[in-house]
Amino acid sequence: MSKRSRVEKLQRLMQKEDLSAIICRLPENVVYITDYWPHHGISVVLLPREGLPVLFVPEVEQEYTQSEWAEVVPFGWGLLKDRDLYENYRELIASKVASWGLKGKKVGAELSFEVVAPSYRIAEPVVPSGPWQALLHFLFEDASLVDAAPLLLQSRAVKTEYEIEKLRIANNIAELGINEALSNLKPGQTEAEIGALIEYTIRAKGPGYQGAKLVRAEAEVGAGPVGSAKGTLLVPSTTYRIQEGDLVMIELATMVDGYFSDLTYMAVIGEPSARQQEVYNVLLEAQQAAASELYPGNSFEAPDRAAREVLRKAGLEDYFVHITGHGVGLRYHEFIPVLAPGAQGTLEEGMVCSVEPGIYIPNFGGLRIEDNVVVGATGPIFLSTPRKPW
């Protein structure tokens, strides 16, 4: 199987839908089609129904692209010598519209994405909006412009071996930060300090590790009976100083060359109490029960149901207030599959998802165990390190 088999799959779907081309600018789709994670978020890829895509990229980023994935066309941007960005877009894209004979043809574009992954420059995400939409309608006024978002998400749902290895590397790098934090936890640290240590370790040790180039991380830490219980949603780390006996929940997003890891780890400052140990081990059993349901042909709902059944028998089901998992890949949270009560869909080999049941008990604290798991041919394949009982 070639590295680019995922693009060939997308092109087969394009043929079924009679799409002559797809034009993408969102970083996650640029990664999918060209395996290049944009730095500034202004790169554009134009994919024909057959053959290599064309990647228009700022010349300062050209060295990060891969010519075996796309025809790379650099353009000047950001300096006094360079033209207006949209003048460049208009000229570069129009040349392909003409040479590919797209007049009167059906062309797909990203018209309905609302949750998007960032570019490498997460401090200033660039989101294509009004001016970009106006340009698309101008360039393709003689074509039929349709929404390609559903097709792209369908194609992205099942990962190739190449993508799975990239996701494994992202998880390995994430665990560099997690392990550093867990080995240095001590009373008096703030939630923010723990999160900063994780992010520092990943940013410092990630580039170059197992071939990684561009690495980012975001860690949020909740501790104590109040802070950890807020982990039902992603909440910012605070100045709360952890104390002996506190539960500590670490939620971590790690981005490696455009591929994502989504993990949650638990720790206790000192030795866990009998109750903490009991609840954690039941939760781990629930997580493993959910993971065991990740095999081809099973329903999206089955892993969630398995986790809830374990917690029900332990009298803890009422404290599990969110879904069991979601897709992971070129975004922190992908929508296929979704492991939830009543979820409609069938698991396929190569899908990748989080498995993350959680328990949040007032005046006690919250616990969540989250790994990234592949739907393997005969069952689950963990991309992160499975946890052990306390």
Side-chain angles (χ1 to χ4, degrees), residues 165-181 197-218 252-263 265 372 383-385:
E165 182 56 29
K166 287 285 192 176
L167 294 172
R168 188 186 301 278
I169 291 170
N171 276 276
N172 291 345
I173 291 174
E175 290 183 347
L176 294 176
I178 290 283
N179 292 335
E180 181 70 17
L197 175 60
I198 294 168
E199 293 179 11
Y200 164 78
T201 303
I202 290 171
R203 289 296 307 278
K205 296 184 178 180
Y209 186 85
Q210 298 181 341
K213 295 179 181 178
L214 302 175
V215 179
R216 291 286 191 185
E218 179 184 358
L252 174 62
T254 305
M255 298 148 270
V256 180
D257 296 321
Y259 297 83
F260 281 69
S261 163
D262 180 7
L263 300 176
Y265 269 70
N372 297 165
L383 298 178
S384 46
T385 303

Side-chain angles (χ1 to χ4, degrees), residues 75-329:
F75 61 86
W77 170 75
L79 301 178
L80 292 176
K81 69 176 181 62
D82 299 323
R83 295 190 302 171
D84 175 78
L85 174 62
Y86 277 80
E87 288 181 10
N88 279 322
Y89 282 157
R90 188 174 294 108
E91 180 179 303
L92 293 168
I93 298 170
S95 68
K96 293 301 178 183
V97 169
S99 64
W100 290 1
L102 296 179
K103 184 176 181 179
K105 302 295 178 64
K106 190 159 70 167
V107 177
E110 305 154 319
L111 303 181
S112 62
F113 278 80
E114 291 194 347
V115 179
V116 300
S119 60
Y120 176 72
R121 284 192 61 184
I122 60 175
E124 192 176 33
V126 177
V127 180
S129 186
W132 175 248
Q133 297 296 331
L135 179 63
L136 287 181
H137 288 289
F138 170 80
L139 290 168
F140 297 102
E141 63 178 347
D142 294 325
S144 175
L145 196 65
V146 299
D147 186 15
L151 194 71
L152 286 160
L153 292 176
Q154 177 189 352
S155 186
R156 285 168 43 179
V158 175
K159 274 56 176 176
T160 63
E161 293 178 5
Y162 178 79
E163 290 174 284
I164 289 170
E165 182 56 29
K166 287 285 192 176
L167 294 172
R168 188 186 301 278
I169 291 170
N171 276 276
N172 291 345
I173 291 174
E175 290 183 347
L176 294 176
I178 290 283
N179 292 335
E180 181 70 17
L182 293 180
S183 63
N184 287 282
L185 283 179
K186 56 183 179 293
Q189 291 174 306
T190 67
E191 295 173 351
E193 286 170 344
I194 298 167
L197 175 60
I198 294 168
E199 293 179 11
Y200 164 78
T201 303
I202 290 171
R203 289 296 307 278
K205 296 184 178 180
Y209 186 85
Q210 298 181 341
K213 295 179 181 178
L214 302 175
V215 179
R216 291 286 191 185
E218 179 184 358
E220 300 297 352
V221 178
V226 175
S228 63
K230 292 179 179 178
T232 52
L233 297 173
L234 303 180
V235 295
S237 306
T238 72
T239 56
Y240 173 79
R241 295 189 180 277
I242 57 176
Q243 305 172 34
E244 193 77 19
D246 274 351
L247 289 167
V248 179
M249 180 187 293
I250 299 169
E251 164 72 29
L252 174 62
T254 305
M255 298 148 270
V256 180
D257 296 321
Y259 297 83
F260 281 69
S261 163
D262 180 7
L263 300 176
T264 308
Y265 269 70
M266 294 301 308
V268 174
I269 305 302
E271 292 297 318
S273 68
R275 180 59 173 163
Q276 288 172 335
Q277 189 175 34
E278 175 190 13
V279 173
Y280 180 88
N281 290 341
V282 169
L283 182 61
L284 180 58
E285 181 185 350
Q287 195 230 18
Q288 292 173 338
S292 71
E293 297 292 324
L294 293 176
Y295 55 83
N298 207 3
S299 70
F300 286 1
E301 184 181 28
D304 182 271
R305 185 168 56 243
R308 291 182 196 280
E309 179 60 18
V310 172
L311 297 177
R312 184 191 66 78
K313 290 179 179 179
L316 295 170
E317 184 182 14
D318 290 346
Y319 300 115
F320 181 19
V321 296
H322 54 67
I323 67 174
T324 293
H326 55 80
V328 182

